[in-house]
Structures are given as C-alpha cells and as structure tokens.
C-alpha cells in the first residue's frame, strides 16, 4: 500500500462515517489526480497534489466546533494544523507536509495561485462543488472563466457541464 493509500484510509477514519465529506474528498482527489497526470506533473508535485486533495477539507470539523460554521476561511484557518498532525503521524516528509499544509490553508483563496499543485487543487474542488452545490449554468460559466487554466481541468469541465462534443 502506498503512502497515498494510507492517507485515504486515515482521512476516511478521520471523517468518521460522514459519508458526504468522504465522498467529496474522494472525488476531489480523483479529479486532481487525473488533471495532474494530464498536465504531466513531476512525481513529487503529483504526490503533493494528491495528498492535499485528500486532506483539503480536513478543517471542516474543527471549524464547526470552534465557530459553529465551516466557511472556506474557517477551513483555511483550522485545516493546516489538522493536516500537519495527520501527515506527521503517518511519517510523511517534512517538505511535503509543509506544502500540503500551505495548500490546505489557501484552497479557498483564488488570487495569487502559486504552483500547478495549487491551481489543480482549486480546479478539482470546483468540479466537485459545482455539481454538489447544484450551481446554475451562469455560475458554472463564471467559475470556468475566472478559475480554470489547465487543459485537463478545462476538458473535464466541458465534459461535465457543457453540452455537445468536447
């Protein structure tokens, strides 16, 4: 079993029968993995991306406990500490932990995106959220124009949300 597989199991355990959130991170992870492969990320960046996709919403539970809600800003505040604890317990390399925690702490911030791992994580999260939130075609179009930059992300968006051929 790979480190990523162990992280998938640990995050599933962490979400403790919260099936909606488990399903969410699994979908975000798969879209992030697929886009990263299409964008030909180097193996290190691919692993960072996939780890961040798995734990990207880890701050939700703590945000709900502390603030009574789980807005993106609260997730960004509470997520890095939770991610660091989990990744450290699983003996991940410190440099990977640091970047994953940065991504978790910024994945709802859409200006100054620095790095393909960050860009792809944001795109993968939007692919899932646009569907899960029942967004309108106007919202989908706006998000596409503002956020999507990778060819893989654009392709998946078009396949999922636009009618007609790719």
């Amino acid at each position: 079993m790979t480190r990523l597989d162990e992280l998938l199991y640990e995050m599933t355990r962490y979400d403790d029968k919260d099936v909606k959130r488990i399903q969410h991170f699994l979908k975000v992870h798969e879209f992030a993995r697929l886009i990263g492969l299409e964008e030909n990320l180097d193996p290190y960046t691919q692993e960072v991306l996939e780890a961040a996709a798995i734990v990207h919403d880890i701050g939700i539970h703590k945000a709900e406990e502390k603030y009574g809600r789980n807005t993106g800003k609260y997730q960004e505040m509470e997520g890095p500490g939770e991610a660091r604890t989990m990744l450290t317990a699983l003996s991940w390399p410190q440099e990977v932990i640091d970047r994953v925690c940065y991504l978790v702490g910024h994945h709802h911030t859409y200006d100054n995106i620095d790095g393909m791992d960050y860009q792809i994580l944001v795109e993968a999260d939007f692919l899932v959220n646009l569907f899960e939130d029942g967004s309108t075609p106007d919202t989908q179009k706006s998000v596409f124009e503002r956020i999507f930059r990778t060819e893989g992300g654009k392709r998946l968006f078009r396949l999922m949300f636009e009618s007609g051929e790719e």
Side-chain angles (χ1 to χ4, degrees):
M1 189 169 348
T2 69
R3 281 197 307 223
L4 287 168
D5 295 330
E6 290 175 354
L7 185 58
L8 282 163
Y9 274 109
E10 186 60 21
M11 190 64 201
T12 301
R13 186 203 60 73
Y14 181 89
D15 274 342
D16 191 31
K17 298 177 188 55
D18 188 341
V19 176
K20 181 179 178 184
R21 292 198 177 118
I22 294 165
Q23 295 280 321
H24 176 83
F25 80 71
L26 288 171
K27 290 184 278 187
V28 172
H29 171 253
E30 184 57 24
F31 285 134
R33 185 189 72 77
L34 191 58
I35 296 168
L37 292 172
E38 184 162 343
E39 298 300 317
N40 294 309
L41 295 184
D42 62 89
Y44 172 81
T45 306
Q46 182 75 27
E47 184 177 54
V48 168
L49 167 64
E50 290 190 46
I54 292 166
V55 300
H56 75 283
D57 281 344
I58 196 169
I60 284 179
H61 296 293
K62 192 152 232 171
E64 289 173 340
E65 288 171 23
K66 283 178 88 170
Y67 310 105
R69 39 194 203 159
N70 63 27
T71 64
K73 190 43 72 185
Y74 290 142
Q75 288 179 45
E76 288 181 338
M77 290 168 46
E78 300 303 327
E82 294 293 291
R84 185 172 302 281
T85 298
M86 181 179 290
L87 291 165
T88 300
L90 293 172
S91 301
W92 280 67
Q94 191 61 50
E95 65 183 19
V96 174
I97 293 172
D98 291 343
R99 182 62 179 173
V100 168
C101 289
Y102 175 82
L103 295 173
V104 169
H106 291 84
H107 78 280
H108 286 290
T109 302
Y110 310 125
D111 55 341
N112 299 316
I113 291 177
D114 64 338
M116 286 295 286
D117 50 1
Y118 190 167
Q119 179 65 43
I120 293 169
L121 176 60
V122 168
E123 291 179 12
D125 200 23
F126 266 113
L127 286 171
V128 176
N129 286 333
L130 288 170
F131 169 73
E132 289 180 349
D133 296 344
S135 64
T136 66
D138 286 344
T139 298
Q140 294 166 5
K141 182 179 183 202
S142 174
V143 167
F144 181 79
E145 291 170 355
R146 285 183 305 120
I147 299 297
F148 284 76
R149 300 287 175 267
T150 69
E151 290 308 311
K154 289 176 183 179
R155 182 203 297 195
L156 284 168
F157 178 93
R158 288 181 182 116
L159 288 168
M160 291 171 62
F161 297 108
E162 293 180 356
S163 58
E165 296 286 318
E166 179 184 347

